[in-house]
Amino acid sequence: MNESAEKSPRNKTISLSDNDLTMFSDKLLYPIAPLLLPEITNKVIAGNFIEVVDYLPQKFVDLMIIDPPYNLTKDFGDVDFKESSNADYIAYIQTWFPKLLPLLKETASVYVCCDWKSSSAIYEVLSRYLIVRNRITWEREKGRGAKTNWKNSCEDIWFATAAKDYYFDIEKVKVKRRVIAPYKVDGKPKDWEETEDGGFRLTHPSNFWNDVSVPYWSMPENTPHPTQKPEKLIAKLILASCPEAGFVFDPFIGSGTTLVTAKKLGRSYSGVELNKKYCCYAEKRLEMADENKKIQGYHDGVFWERNSFNQQKKKFLL
Ligand SMILES: C[S@@+](CC[C@H](N)C(=O)[O-])C[C@H]1O[C@@H](n2cnc3c(N)ncnc32)[C@H](O)[C@@H]1O
């Protein structure tokens, strides 16, 4: 995207001025020697995490969110990732995944993002080291249509833990759904809430998420990063799998979604990114989070089913 191009008034995509680039570059951490936990806490680390990891403390991470380049040809500025065979992709993950393990606390959880094509490779490596607990599939909504194939509009996230004991708070990630068949006992709603806009129920979330969409240009969290994850998606992982005083780490921060969401939810965070411009987007978003802690689709401690929140909009500010 040409950042100097005139934007439509509804286009909320975050942009960086030359001044932003200078100012935010100065805030980044460029490790050259071993670092203590307070030195990396709430910091964006610039560099190649495969090298940076040697300077990080051990056993400090409660939740690790890993969003690596998928097995697709994609230009990330400093990294021009090329699609390869499944075996080569497995070999690529194997070069770095074990290096992250010493950072994990014994009770830590790990989530790894992927698409259908890289999913089996991720499982293969993850299951060599951790207890794999589930695979979430989320509908990203946007996707390119194809003439001879199904449109690819879903992604996976593998969920694994370091040990048998781990933190998981189901109450924090319930989904507010519209009640289709409102059932009443003695004239009163059974397990649902009656409002002037209809009936709603708080439900246990499954491993299929269709209440999230990738950031659009009209959303205030949007940046020009080519594979930015939605804050709502990451918020679910953090609320379920990171205690309030916990630490979230992301080795591939991109535009900073994990760190920004962790900050909005009051967790400690740190992460690494190779591309300095993306690091600056992360810094800018972290600064914006000082003023605005809203996460689109998550309001008053509740995740709203896609589109049902719109009917309640008048009660909340987006
Ligand atoms: C899939 S994107 C992450 C997107 C991110 N979750 C977000 O919401 O913006 C992967 C990122 O990893 C970065 N990257 C690739 N290899 C890296 C490495 N060895 N160390 C640090 N960052 C790396 C790329 O520049 C890219 O921005």
Side-chain angles (χ1 to χ4, degrees):
M1 187 190 115
N2 176 3
E3 285 175 30
S4 58
E6 189 93 352
K7 283 200 295 191
S8 118
R10 286 190 55 222
N11 185 348
K12 300 214 173 65
T13 305
I14 299 166
S15 54
L16 289 174
S17 64
D18 289 345
N19 195 30
D20 283 340
L21 274 169
T22 312
M23 188 176 74
F24 293 127
S25 296
D26 287 347
K27 294 184 93 177
L28 303 174
L29 194 60
Y30 303 90
I32 45 162
L35 295 158
L36 298 170
L37 191 55
E39 293 174 295
I40 63 157
T41 301
N42 302 343
K43 285 286 195 184
V44 175
I45 305 173
N48 179 343
F49 85 85
I50 302 169
E51 293 156 13
V52 166
V53 92
D54 293 334
Y55 297 136
L56 300 179
Q58 303 215 332
K59 292 190 187 298
F60 69 97
V61 175
D62 292 277
L63 168 62
M64 190 176 291
I65 297 179
I66 308 177
D67 184 15
Y70 298 175
N71 193 5
L72 296 169
T73 297
K74 182 81 66 188
D75 182 4
F76 290 107
D78 291 351
V79 184
D80 200 2
F81 204 82
K82 292 271 180 288
E83 185 174 358
S84 61
S85 67
N86 199 46
D88 283 351
Y89 189 69
I90 291 175
Y92 158 71
I93 303 161
Q94 184 65 46
T95 58
W96 52 260
F97 186 72
K99 296 194 102 200
L100 294 168
L101 299 173
L103 312 189
L104 299 174
K105 284 189 188 167
E106 269 144 34
T107 51
S109 293
V110 176
Y111 289 88
V112 189
C113 304
C114 48
D115 64 352
W116 69 270
K117 224 174 161 189
S118 43
S119 200
S120 66
I122 298 287
Y123 176 81
E124 166 95 28
V125 179
L126 203 58
S127 59
R128 287 177 192 161
Y129 302 96
L130 300 174
I131 305 170
V132 178
R133 306 231 162 237
N134 211 329
R135 186 188 66 186
I136 298 156
T137 296
W138 65 283
E139 191 186 15
R140 60 201 302 284
E141 239 198 349
K142 249 186 186 166
R144 205 167 277 162
K147 283 198 176 126
T148 55
N149 204 337
W150 311 102
K151 182 166 116 175
N152 187 23
S153 63
C154 286
E155 295 198 10
D156 290 346
I157 307 176
W158 287 101
F159 167 38
T161 62
K164 220 158 62 128
D165 291 326
Y166 60 98
Y167 175 90
F168 197 88
D169 190 344
I170 196 76
E171 292 304 322
K172 294 266 165 52
V173 284
K174 287 192 169 165
V175 178
K176 197 151 187 169
R177 286 191 191 281
R178 188 162 274 287
V179 180
I180 310 288
Y183 183 65
K184 291 193 176 181
V185 175
D186 298 332
K188 293 203 179 103
K190 174 138 174 50
D191 304 330
W192 56 277
E193 180 197 350
E194 198 159 29
T195 76
E196 58 190 46
D197 298 303
F200 291 92
R201 174 181 284 127
L202 268 185
T203 59
H204 275 71
S206 76
N207 59 356
F208 174 63
W209 297 355
N210 63 349
D211 60 328
V212 189
S213 61
V214 283
Y216 283 85
W217 56 275
S218 57
M219 288 164 71
E221 67 190 73
N222 196 46
T223 74
H225 190 284
T227 63
Q228 183 179 343
K229 291 285 181 293
E231 291 178 11
K232 183 178 180 185
L233 179 90
I234 301 298
K236 289 175 187 246
L237 308 182
I238 294 175
L239 287 165
S241 295
C242 184
E244 282 178 21
F247 201 111
V248 185
F249 183 80
D250 180 345
F252 296 93
I253 65 165
S255 65
T257 311
T258 300
L259 312 197
V260 171
T261 313
K263 178 171 181 171
K264 289 184 175 183
L265 296 172
R267 271 62 173 182
S268 298
Y269 55 84
S270 186
V272 193
E273 170 58 51
L274 205 54
N275 182 296
K276 210 155 115 187
K277 197 165 187 187
Y278 296 154
C279 289
C280 292
Y281 276 108
E283 286 288 1
K284 183 154 185 175
R285 291 177 70 193
L286 287 165
E287 190 180 87
M288 288 164 69
D290 284 332
E291 300 296 318
N292 186 351
K293 299 241 170 350
K294 282 182 199 133
I295 295 172
Q296 197 153 351
Y298 176 66
H299 303 269
D300 275 4
V302 171
F303 288 98
W304 287 79
E305 184 183 19
R306 197 156 56 201
N307 299 329
S308 68
F309 178 74
N310 285 342
Q311 281 139 25
Q312 298 266 306
K313 226 184 227 168
K314 53 183 177 270
K315 294 190 185 156
F316 304 93
L317 289 173
L318 265 177

